[in-house]
Amino acid sequence: MIPEAALAETARILGPRGFLHSAHDLSLYEYDGSVDKHRPELVCFPRSTQDVVELVKLAARHGLPIVGRGAGTGLSGGAIPLAGGMMISFSRMNRILEIDLPNERAVVEPGVVNLDITLAVAAEGYFYAPDPSSQRACTIGGNVAENAGGPHTLAYGVTTNHVLGLEAVLLDGSVIEIGGKAPEVPGYDLTGLLTGSEGTMALVTKIIVRLMRRPEAVKTLLAIYDTADDAAETVAEITARAIIPVAVEMMDGMLLRLIEDSVHAGYPRDAGAVLLIELEGLTEAVEEQVEQIQQVCGLCRARELRVAKTPEERELLWKGRKNAFGAVGRATPHLYTQDGVVPRAEVPSTLRFIEKVAAEYRVQISNIFHAGDGNLHPIIMFDMREPGAMDRVRAAGEKILEHCIEVGGSITGEHGVGMEKKELMDKLFSPDSLDLIRRFKQLFDPECRLNPGKVLPTGRGCLEIRQRPDDLRY
Amino acid sequence: MICPDTPPLLAQSLADLRSARTTIRLGGQFTKDRIGGRLVGEGTPVSTRNLSRILRYRPNDLTISVESGVRWSDLQQELGRNGQMIPLDPPWSGGCTVGGVVAANQSGPRRRLFGTARDCVIGMTFATLEGKLVQAGGMVVKNVAGLDFGKLMIGSWGTLAALAIVNFKVFPIARGTRTFLFESASLAAAIECRDGVLKSVLQPLSVDLLNPEASAALGWNGFALAVQAAGAPPVLDRYQAALAGFRVIDCAVWDRIREFTPDFLARHPDGVVVSKSSTLTGVADAVRELPGPVVSRAGSGVSYGHATHDVAPNMEKPGGFEIMERIKRMMDPDALLNPGRLHGLL
C-alpha cells in the first residue's frame, strides 16, 4: 500500500490528474506485451525531467520501488512492476525537442513514439533507422531501455548504434547528461552502458539520436519456397556472397496461412516458407544486388520471386510481415514470442529443432525470423485456460533458448532479458560475469529499487527480492 | 615485461600485481604511447602480445573471435583471404594489436560509413584486477543479453580491465573503391562542398577534410576534401558523375591519410596530436582552431591537429563524471591500471 502521505506528495508534484491509484486504473498497467503481469500501486505521469526528479526523491523517502514504462509493448516483461510500487509512465514526456538536420541529430523525450521521429524528418529525406515491429506504438525510451532492434537493423544496427547521448535521472535524484551530439566524449561510454540496461540503472529523460539520409532506391522482393530449408539456405547463400540487404525476413508456412486468413497480403497458402528481402542504396547498387539475389533464389529452388514495382506493391509485401503478430493473435487465445539468436549458419538446423520441440511439447509454433542476422521469433500458440498449457509453453520456450545457447547464440536479440529469460542467464554467462552485472546494478541502485527482479537470475540479483513472481493471474 | 599467453594467465597476472600494489602499464604493442595521455610513473609493463590466436572464424557467418594480442594487420590479412574485412581502419595499423585498437577506440577515414569499434564489436572477454574473466555480448550480431560492458571497455584505454578476447562482425570487402578530391583556397567553400555530399543520396565511405598544411604534405593545394566511394563500377561511375568539381585520384592516398598522425609523431619527437570532437557544423571551427596540419573526419566530426611541442589538452569533465569515477574505483580501487592514460581524467 502506498502511504496516504506519499499520494498527497504525488498530487503536489503532478497535480490531481497527474497520477492514478485506483485498483481499476492500476489494472491497466499491470501487463506489457509479455505473458506475465503484476500490478503497480501508483502510476505517475511526469511532464518534465524535474517532475521525474521529484518523483524519484519521493520514492526514496517512502522506500518505493520504481519502474519506468513507455508504451508497454515490450515482450520480456521489462515494464512489469514485480515489486509493485511506483510506475513512472513517460507518455506525457513525448515532445521532439529538436531536429538538427545539418548535424544529423534529433533530441527527443522518452515518450516519443519511434515512428514519429521518422515522420518528422521524412519530408526532408531523413529517417531514424531502428524499426521494431511495434514502431507505430513503442516509445524511444522503451527502445533505449531494451536496446530495441527491428527488421532493418541488419544493415543499420540496433538502438545503441543510433543513440549518441542521454539525460537520465539517477536514484539519488541527480540528473546526468552523458554523451552528446558530437561523436566522442572524454571518459567512459556511459550512454552505451545504460542503453539496453532494461530500466534497471537509471530513468532516461532525454535522448539524442542519429538521423540518417534516406537512401535513393528501395527494392523489395518476396521469394516463395516449398520448404523452409530452401529458404534458410538462401539466407546462408546471400550472406556467403557478400550481399548485404537491409532486411531479410523469413516466415514459415503456418504463419503465411494465418496471415492470409487475416490481412490478405497475397501470400501463397501452400508454400513452405517465404523470404521478404529488402535492398536499399544508390539505384545502381540496388539494381546489381537484385540481380544477384534473383540468381541465389533460383539456385536455392525458390518457386516464385516477386519484385515490388511500385510503393503500393512494396507496402503489400510488407503488410503481411507487419501484421504477423496480429494475425496469429486472431487464431489463438494466447501467444508467446521467443527472441533467440543463432549464428546465421545455424538457422536451418534451428528451424528443424523448433519443429521437434513443437511436437514433443504438443504446442503449435509458427516462425517469423529476422533471418539475415539469425534472430528468431518462434511464436508459440496456446490456450492458457487449458490445464498445463502454460507449463508446456514455458518448457518449450526454454528448450528452444537452450538450443540457441548450445549452438553459440543468445537468448535475446532485441527484446531484452526482462523477467522471462533471467533464469537462463547463468547458462549464457559465467558466475563472474553475472557478478559484475550485479555490482554495476548496485553501483547505480544500491537499494535495488529500480525495476527489481529483472535481468539477473533469482539469487544473483538483489537479495531482498528472492521470491519468484508466480502469480500469473489470467 | 609480463606477456601472458592465455586469458586465464592474463587475469592471474593482474591479480598478482594488484596484490603487490604494483602500478601496471597495460598494452599490446604500445604503439599509441604518444596519444591519449602519458603514463604517470614507471609501471610494470603487461602486454597482451602473446595472446595471439584467432579463436574462431566462420566466414559464412561473418563473425570472428580473436585474442586481443593478434596484430591488426594479421587479422585483416586472414579476413582478406575470404574477401572479408573489419571496416575499421585505425592508425598504426601495421604494428598495433586488436586489443589496442578497441581499448583506444581507434578508427579511421571509413568511419563515416562504418562507424567505430562500437558498431562492429559484438562481444568480448576481459580480465579484471580481481583475476576474473568477464564476458559481454557473444558471437551473434544481435544480442541484448546482459549489460553492454563492451561499450564501457571500448575507449577506456586500459584503465578498467585488460581485454583478452574480442569478437567482431565482419563485412565483405567492396568490389572496388574510387577516390575524389576537391581543392579550394577557402575553408568555407570546402565545407559547402562537404555539405553537398552529406546532404546528397551518396553514401561515401570516407569524407575527410585537410587544412592547407596537411594537404601540402600530400602534394595538394589549399583546403582539400577527399571523398572515397565503394562499390561495383556502375556505382563508382555514378559517384564520379555526381561529384562534379572533384578530380579522381589514387586510392593509395588513404594509407597516408590514415597514418598521418603516426608519421607526424615519428618526424617530431616532441610533437603531440590534439583531437577535437564536434558536431558536423562545428568542423569548420575545429579545422580553423586546431594547431599545425589538421586532418578532419569531416563526415563524422572528429578532427586531429598536430603540434610540434606539447599542448595541454583541454579536458573538461564530461557529464556523468562522478559515475565514471565510481566505476573506476570499483574496477581499480588503487588506481593501478594505466594511470595518466585517458589524459589522466580517471
Side-chain angles (χ1 to χ4, degrees):
Chain A
M1 275 296 284
I2 301 284
E4 277 302 320
L7 289 178
E9 287 171 58
T10 308
R12 186 183 51 75
I13 297 164
L14 300 173
R17 299 174 66 83
F19 64 105
L20 301 171
H21 69 104
S22 76
H24 174 74
D25 289 333
L26 295 176
S27 68
L28 298 174
Y29 290 85
E30 67 185 12
Y31 58 89
D32 63 4
S34 68
V35 292
D36 300 305
K37 52 191 203 173
H38 196 281
R39 199 169 289 188
E41 294 164 277
L42 170 68
V43 182
C44 299
F45 301 91
R47 290 184 182 276
S48 66
T49 303
Q50 194 49 43
D51 284 353
V52 177
V53 168
E54 297 293 331
L55 290 171
V56 164
K57 289 181 176 167
L58 184 158
R61 284 196 297 276
H62 296 276
L64 299 175
I66 304 174
V67 175
R69 188 182 197 267
T73 57
L75 293 165
S76 61
I80 294 179
L82 271 183
M86 176 191 286
M87 174 173 277
I88 297 186
S89 164
F90 287 98
S91 56
R92 289 181 186 172
M93 289 178 70
N94 61 351
R95 291 171 303 165
I96 295 178
L97 299 172
E98 187 188 350
I99 288 170
D100 182 358
L101 293 180
N103 288 315
E104 303 172 345
R105 301 286 184 263
V107 185
V108 304
E109 289 185 330
V112 168
V113 170
N114 172 296
L115 187 62
D116 285 348
I117 300 183
T118 290
L119 292 178
V121 295
E124 278 85 14
Y126 287 79
F127 73 113
Y128 173 67
D131 61 338
S133 295
S134 55
Q135 71 174 153
R136 284 166 199 280
C138 67
T139 63
I140 295 296
N143 292 174
V144 170
E146 303 296 336
N147 192 10
H152 289 81
T153 55
L154 173 58
Y156 297 125
V158 295
T159 300
T160 190
N161 305 107
H162 297 272
V163 169
L164 282 300
L166 299 171
E167 177 190 84
V169 178
L170 302 180
L171 267 266
D172 61 2
S174 63
V175 179
I176 56 171
E177 284 185 78
I178 53 180
K181 280 188 182 177
E184 283 178 7
V185 172
Y188 304 137
D189 182 5
L190 297 180
T191 306
L193 181 70
L194 288 188
T195 303
S197 62
E198 307 200 16
T200 64
M201 287 166 49
L203 291 156
V204 169
T205 47
K206 202 187 282 179
I207 300 124
I208 302 174
V209 299
R210 183 198 314 282
L211 300 173
M212 293 179 72
R213 185 69 176 81
R214 187 166 281 287
E216 179 182 45
V218 183
K219 267 282 193 264
T220 308
L221 301 88
L222 185 77
I224 301 164
Y225 298 84
D226 287 329
T227 70
D229 267 4
D230 287 343
E233 196 185 316
T234 304
V235 176
E237 188 61 24
I238 288 173
T239 311
R241 290 196 180 199
I243 311 166
I244 303 209
V246 289
V248 181
E249 301 286 299
M250 178 168 161
M251 291 169 274
D252 71 2
M254 187 191 300
L255 188 65
L256 291 176
R257 288 181 280 282
L258 293 174
I259 289 173
E260 277 312 292
D261 290 344
S262 164
V263 294
H264 315 295
Y267 294 168
R269 288 175 166 277
D270 60 340
V274 300
L275 288 179
L276 187 62
I277 304 167
E278 193 151 273
L279 301 151
E280 288 184 357
L282 278 185
T283 308
E284 290 80 355
V286 169
E287 277 170 5
E288 194 219 353
Q289 291 192 321
V290 167
E291 268 175 42
Q292 290 189 48
I293 299 248
Q294 280 169 331
Q295 279 178 16
V296 172
C297 290
L299 202 71
C300 297
R301 298 166 295 281
R303 74 175 200 212
E304 190 188 338
L305 185 66
R306 298 179 191 167
V307 184
K309 291 186 187 63
T310 62
E312 291 73 31
E313 286 183 19
R314 175 177 177 249
E315 279 304 303
L316 188 63
L317 292 185
W318 271 105
K319 186 178 169 190
R321 165 64 184 89
K322 291 196 171 157
N323 291 293
F325 289 91
V328 179
R330 277 178 85 241
T332 177
H334 300 105
L335 55 92
Y336 183 41
T337 308
Q338 289 287 336
D339 182 38
V341 198
V342 295
R344 287 170 274 208
E346 304 287 346
V347 168
S349 62
T350 304
L351 260 177
R352 288 191 292 271
F353 183 85
I354 292 173
E355 217 171 290
K356 272 198 292 185
V357 169
E360 188 182 333
Y361 289 88
R362 291 175 288 122
V363 288
Q364 277 203 309
I365 304 181
S366 57
N367 287 294
I368 185 161
F369 288 9
H370 302 302
D373 42 28
N375 187 191
L376 326 170
H377 294 320
I379 308 172
I380 309 179
M381 300 149 59
F382 67 107
D383 185 343
M384 208 176 278
R385 293 160 299 189
E386 190 192 308
M390 191 69 223
D391 292 338
R392 289 207 316 277
V393 167
R394 283 187 190 277
E398 210 166 297
K399 196 94 182 163
I400 292 169
L401 292 182
E402 280 170 4
H403 172 83
C404 293
I405 296 172
E406 266 165 42
V407 299
S410 171
I411 55 176
T412 174
E414 54 185 10
H415 296 171
V417 175
M419 47 191 287
E420 62 147 14
K421 291 180 286 279
K422 64 179 183 163
E423 304 300 341
L424 287 164
M425 283 289 277
D426 51 11
K427 295 195 167 136
L428 193 59
F429 291 109
S430 68
D432 288 342
S433 306
L434 293 177
D435 188 53
L436 194 63
I437 296 177
R438 182 188 58 76
R439 284 161 67 192
F440 268 79
K441 158 77 173 162
Q442 217 162 40
L443 189 146
F444 280 84
D445 178 17
E447 295 169 20
C448 200
R449 285 191 295 105
L450 191 53
N451 210 358
K454 308 292 168 71
V455 183
L456 290 163
T458 310
R460 290 197 184 279
C462 310
L463 292 176
E464 59 267 48
I465 312 231
R466 275 216 186 95
Q467 78 276 19
R468 223 188 125 103
D470 275 342
D471 52 337
L472 297 164
R473 292 154 298 170
Y474 265 83
Chain B
M1 184 177 317
I2 301 172
C3 304
D5 55 10
T6 67
L9 285 177
L10 173 66
Q12 187 56 51
S13 304
L14 294 186
D16 293 346
L17 291 165
R18 188 204 170 181
S19 318
R21 293 276 188 280
T22 310
T23 300
I24 299 163
R25 177 177 178 237
L26 181 63
Q29 297 286 350
F30 299 98
T31 55
K32 288 178 272 292
D33 275 358
R34 289 178 64 193
I35 61 170
R38 296 221 170 137
L39 195 81
V40 174
E42 284 284 300
T44 299
V46 174
S47 165
T48 55
R49 64 182 51 159
N50 287 349
L51 290 166
S52 54
R53 291 172 300 171
I54 290 177
L55 299 175
R56 188 162 58 161
Y57 175 31
R58 291 184 176 176
N60 284 348
D61 200 40
L62 298 182
T63 56
I64 192 165
S65 174
V66 300
E67 288 184 336
S68 60
V70 170
R71 277 184 196 256
W72 187 257
S73 52
D74 290 347
L75 172 59
Q76 294 286 37
Q77 205 180 354
E78 174 70 19
L79 293 167
R81 285 195 199 110
N82 289 289
Q84 297 179 342
M85 63 164 184
I86 293 168
L88 301 177
D89 47 352
W92 286 279
S93 60
C96 66
T97 63
V98 169
V101 169
V102 173
N105 195 13
Q106 295 288 295
S107 58
R110 289 195 296 230
R111 178 176 187 154
R112 168 65 193 177
L113 191 65
F114 285 108
T116 63
R118 253 182 142 261
D119 305 297
C120 54
V121 170
I122 55 173
M124 61 171 63
T125 300
F126 52 88
T128 68
L129 281 178
E130 292 165 357
K132 290 174 176 165
L133 287 171
V134 173
Q135 322 144 253
M139 273 302 273
V140 285
V141 295
K142 214 167 160 192
N143 189 356
V144 296
L147 278 182
D148 196 348
F149 290 129
K151 296 284 185 295
L152 198 64
M153 293 301 147
I154 293 168
S156 66
W157 290 81
T159 62
L160 293 175
L163 303 187
I165 297 167
V166 186
N167 309 337
F168 293 92
K169 61 175 166 178
V170 306
F171 294 74
I173 293 174
R175 298 261 295 279
T177 56
R178 204 171 288 173
T179 299
F180 308 91
L181 185 73
F182 173 87
E183 294 162 280
S184 167
S186 130
L187 175 59
I191 291 282
E192 197 186 319
C193 183
R194 175 206 66 167
D195 290 346
V197 173
L198 296 185
K199 281 178 191 150
S200 76
V201 293
L202 302 176
Q203 297 169 323
L205 264 185
S206 319
V207 180
D208 273 16
L209 175 61
L210 283 68
N211 76 351
E213 229 180 308
S215 88
L218 295 170
W220 303 329
N221 295 309
F223 291 94
L225 186 71
V227 173
Q228 182 175 213
V235 175
L236 300 179
D237 291 345
R238 169 74 189 281
Y239 276 88
Q240 198 158 336
L243 295 173
F246 284 74
R247 63 185 167 96
V248 176
I249 59 167
D250 191 341
C251 287
V253 72
W254 291 104
D255 293 339
R256 295 186 61 195
I257 294 178
R258 186 192 68 226
E259 298 297 333
F260 195 97
T261 294
D263 290 348
F264 178 89
L265 294 177
R267 281 199 313 277
H268 298 94
D270 298 320
V272 290
V273 57
V274 188
S275 68
K276 184 168 173 58
S277 168
S278 70
T279 58
L280 295 175
T281 49
V283 164
D285 281 344
V287 169
R288 244 191 307 268
E289 288 159 14
L290 285 169
V294 177
V295 177
S296 174
R297 303 275 108 81
S300 310
V302 183
S303 308
Y304 304 92
H306 301 81
T308 49
H309 53 84
D310 210 354
V311 177
N314 175 21
M315 291 302 282
E316 267 177 49
K317 290 210 168 113
F321 183 68
E322 200 217 326
I323 292 281
M324 294 179 195
E325 282 185 313
R326 284 165 60 192
I327 290 172
K328 169 72 177 172
R329 275 202 299 274
M330 183 170 86
M331 302 290 291
D332 178 14
D334 305 312
L336 302 175
L337 272 175
N338 276 354
R341 299 297 260 161
L342 259 182
H343 297 285
L345 188 69
L346 287 153

